[in-house]
Amino acid sequence: MSPNIKKRGVTFVELLVGMTIFAIIMGIVANWFFTQRQYQDKFLKLSETQDRLRQAVWKVIQELKTGRQVIWPRVNSDGSARTDTVVTFKNFKGEITTFYFVPAAGEIRRCVTPNGPGTPQVDVTPVGRGLALASFTVMGVDNKLVSLHLVADHVHFLDAVRLINE
């Protein structure tokens, strides 16, 4: 062989260095995708929880708006607010409607006692599911302002409604 001829090709060391750099870059990219997937899953779970809480509150508020007066809980004798896991009120038809939290099932249920003869009827489908806590606070001198506080998956949802019927 003459000394002027150069050998072409890649040495084993060059190949090993190239593969190591490629593996490091692929590891960084894979870690970034994995992290983004975790953030997406957390965001989706949070969004679903908020939607579930929003729907439960909307159902309760729509019916509370039609109420005439809150039967339970009542404002304390000193005028301070009272909180309970049950809210009972008389609706515009004169029926007694109750929303109550069942901790063992993590659900808000609805029961209606008709105006006149008849037995109380509990709805088969819960108003809200997957809850850790639900409470109703009655405020105001006229006992017509109800605040709702729902908790699920460490997400708190607060809303309030004023009974408008007389």
Side-chain angles (χ1 to χ4, degrees):
M1 269 179 138
S2 72
N4 292 345
I5 299 176
K6 293 184 179 181
K7 292 186 179 180
R8 296 185 183 204
V10 180
T11 65
F12 179 70
V13 174
E14 292 172 334
L15 186 61
L16 193 59
V17 168
M19 289 176 63
T20 304
I21 291 171
F22 180 74
I24 290 170
I25 291 172
M26 290 306 294
I28 291 170
V29 170
N31 184 40
W32 182 79
F33 276 114
F34 179 71
T35 304
Q36 292 304 312
R37 181 63 184 188
Q38 285 180 323
Y39 285 134
Q40 182 182 15
D41 289 344
K42 284 181 185 179
F43 181 75
L44 184 61
K45 184 178 178 182
L46 176 65
S47 178
E48 288 172 352
T49 300
Q50 288 175 336
D51 189 45
R52 192 172 68 239
L53 293 174
R54 196 174 297 114
Q55 288 178 3
V57 166
W58 186 84
K59 289 176 186 175
V60 173
I61 283 179
Q62 290 305 310
E63 194 155 355
L64 272 169
K65 280 182 185 178
T66 67
R68 289 185 178 176
Q69 77 182 80
V70 175
I71 298 169
W72 183 259
R74 303 288 290 173
V75 174
N76 291 320
S77 59
D78 63 354
S80 62
R82 179 179 284 175
T83 301
D84 201 341
T85 58
V86 175
V87 63
T88 302
F89 62 97
K90 189 177 272 193
N91 67 17
F92 68 97
K93 294 178 187 175
E95 301 169 326
I96 305 224
T97 304
T98 302
F99 289 101
Y100 59 97
F101 177 60
V102 182
E107 299 175 339
I108 294 178
R109 294 272 181 178
R110 177 181 174 268
C111 177
V112 177
T113 304
N115 186 11
T119 58
Q121 306 228 337
V122 177
D123 289 352
V124 177
T125 306
V127 174
R129 288 189 169 127
L131 303 173
L133 173 71
S135 63
F136 307 94
T137 303
V138 176
M139 301 171 276
V141 291
D142 58 355
N143 211 48
K144 291 194 173 204
L145 182 61
V146 180
S147 171
L148 292 84
H149 178 212
L150 304 181
V151 180
D153 299 328
H154 305 292
V155 175
H156 293 258
F157 197 92
L158 299 169
D159 209 339
V161 62
R162 181 160 183 76
L163 281 69
I164 55 176
N165 284 323
E166 293 295 328

